[in-house]
Amino acid sequence: MPARTLPNYLTKEIAARKTSQSCWVTIGSKVYDVTGFLDAHPGGGDLILEYGGKDVSAIMQDEISHTHSESAYDILKDNLIGFVAADPVLKTAVDSDRPQNILPLPPNEHGAQELRMNGAAEYVPTEKADETTNMVSEEDLYRETDAAEDYRKHGFLKLDEPLLMQVWNGGFSKDFYLEQVHHPRQYKGGDGSAPLFGNFLEPLSKTAWWVIPIFWLPWVSYGSWLAYGGIPSIIQFVAYWLTGFGLWSLVEYGLHRGLFHVDKYLPDNRVGITVHFLLHGIHHYLPMDRYRLVMPPTLFVVLAAPFWKLAHTVFYWDWYVATAVFCGGIFGYVCYDCTHYFLHHKKIPTAYHRALRSYHIAHHWKDTENGFGVTSRFWDRVFGTELAMPVPKPIKAS
């Protein structure tokens, strides 16, 4: 799902999308573009085209047909493109003194109340907002935040002004800061990234995902080549390298939980709050900021230095062995950062990664105190911090 405000579509426009070149379906108030799935559908594309431009809620609950897996619903979720602006919604918005509460969908709390009063309750989310993030579903992550209204309501940060000095000079208490920083916002001004420094340092705070492999893989390759030259056999080299690669998942979990989420132990002063914001708080505050999803190389060099020392302390007997382990770990980091970006911003082709995406996005909008694994749930299960994800019930559909 793209990192933008999802548009609203008229029922007439949706009804026209029923061809192999453009096929949309709806479930309730949500619109899905399934054009790219026509050829891959197990029952054939014609079956989907039969329901093109229509609501498929009823047919997907047809008990005399086959059962869809969780993956089918993940595919739909990945192809959500907007919401249905049906006639009852438009009429309510036209008659309302505050139509901005209703459109664009989904409505806010006041808009939802108006829709219910006007017989359009089906367009109101039925889920309860999460107490920490104040979000009902992951779709809320993609809805643009009105910067002026957000500041008026919460008195935290002005999204269109440099954030760093606002955090430093804000005089926020720890409790208020954590409450606000775990309430995600979506900023669309400029290049899509809210200003952090507002000066010549600004470019250093932004990193495109492709910078990570371009910067780190040459160093990983060079270090691996050096290590291979000093280890007696390729089997030993591969074993040590893979050890480092495997250990990264534990480091990933440890950093995320023990450094980035030290909320309970965060000092209640502006130094602690500002450091927290720079390390990870800004990511939870603006989780869909595509230029602040991966770690700038300058910052990771600082974090990686202690692990270089640790590797050479643990494997003290052989510099080449320690280097092989370290390089395997750095390759694991590259995979992690790229995976993290793709979980937020790209359509995921495999069921495994779609499940990871749902799991990680739930960490942002549903439960920030669990779900610290990004590339795997393994360590969450080991340490008892696995997110409680809903167990999908088999639904029969044709």
Side-chain angles (χ1 to χ4, degrees), residues 301-380:
V301 165
V302 175
L303 293 177
F307 289 102
W308 168 266
K309 182 67 175 178
L310 178 62
H312 285 267
T313 300
V314 174
F315 300 92
Y316 62 91
W317 65 88
D318 194 316
W319 185 92
Y320 298 101
V321 166
T323 301
V325 171
F326 180 78
C327 288
I330 296 298
F331 183 77
Y333 156 73
V334 172
C335 294
Y336 151 79
D337 239 357
C338 292
T339 298
H340 188 204
Y341 177 86
F342 275 65
L343 294 182
H344 277 263
H345 281 291
K346 298 294 182 180
K347 293 181 179 179
I348 310 297
T350 69
Y352 173 77
H353 286 94
R354 284 195 296 272
L356 270 185
R357 179 187 183 280
S358 296
Y359 186 75
H360 179 64
I361 294 299
H363 168 73
H364 280 281
W365 74 264
K366 186 178 182 181
D367 186 353
T368 61
E369 297 180 357
N370 290 292
F372 301 109
V374 175
T375 57
S376 169
R377 301 188 193 187
F378 177 76
W379 295 110
D380 278 319

Side-chain angles (χ1 to χ4, degrees), residues 114-317:
E114 287 193 64
L115 288 173
R116 292 190 189 99
M117 292 173 61
N118 286 275
E122 63 185 292
Y123 301 100
V124 177
T126 56
E127 302 93 332
K128 183 180 179 181
D130 180 80
E131 292 181 0
T132 301
T133 65
N134 199 32
M135 293 194 161
V136 169
S137 68
E138 71 171 77
E139 282 80 25
D140 287 344
L141 289 173
Y142 301 87
R143 192 176 190 186
E144 183 182 6
T145 301
D146 183 321
E149 175 64 17
D150 182 70
Y151 182 74
R152 184 195 66 77
K153 181 177 180 180
H154 300 286
F156 183 47
L157 302 178
K158 297 178 180 178
L159 284 170
D160 48 4
E161 297 182 12
L163 301 176
L164 180 63
M165 295 312 296
Q166 292 185 71
V167 174
W168 179 258
N169 293 321
F172 306 126
S173 70
K174 167 184 164 180
D175 290 341
F176 176 77
Y177 163 78
L178 290 174
E179 175 188 337
Q180 291 300 316
V181 86
H182 288 311
H183 176 180
R185 274 76 162 182
Q186 162 75 309
Y187 179 77
K188 286 185 62 181
D191 60 1
S193 288
L196 180 61
F197 294 103
N199 55 31
F200 67 94
L201 293 174
E202 192 69 28
L204 296 178
S205 72
K206 300 178 182 180
T207 307
W209 74 268
W210 45 264
V211 170
I212 301 305
I214 287 178
F215 181 87
W216 286 107
L217 289 184
W219 291 106
V220 170
S221 300
Y222 178 66
S224 299
W225 176 74
L226 287 179
Y228 174 68
I231 296 176
S233 73
I234 189 171
I235 294 177
Q236 290 183 37
F237 165 75
V238 170
Y240 285 123
W241 196 91
L242 289 178
T243 296
F245 180 75
L247 284 173
W248 165 257
S249 66
L250 178 59
V251 173
E252 168 195 316
Y253 177 89
L255 285 175
H256 195 184
R257 183 183 182 184
L259 180 60
F260 299 154
H261 278 270
V262 291
D263 298 3
K264 182 178 179 181
Y265 305 102
L266 183 66
D268 194 357
N269 58 56
R270 67 180 185 176
V271 174
I273 287 172
T274 303
V275 170
H276 180 276
F277 187 77
L278 288 173
L279 279 178
H280 199 59
I282 190 172
H283 175 52
H284 273 262
Y285 186 60
L286 297 163
M288 304 313 297
D289 186 332
R290 64 178 62 246
Y291 292 113
R292 294 196 176 99
L293 268 170
V294 298
M295 193 171 294
T298 48
L299 177 58
F300 191 71
V301 165
V302 175
L303 293 177
F307 289 102
W308 168 266
K309 182 67 175 178
L310 178 62
H312 285 267
T313 300
V314 174
F315 300 92
Y316 62 91
W317 65 88

Side-chain angles (χ1 to χ4, degrees), residues 5 10 24 38 41 54 70 103 123 138 172 217 304 340 345 358 373:
T5 302
L10 299 174
W24 296 0
L38 293 175
H41 186 252
K54 302 175 183 177
E70 181 183 4
L103 293 174
Y123 301 100
E138 71 171 77
F172 306 126
L217 289 184
H340 188 204
H345 281 291
S358 296

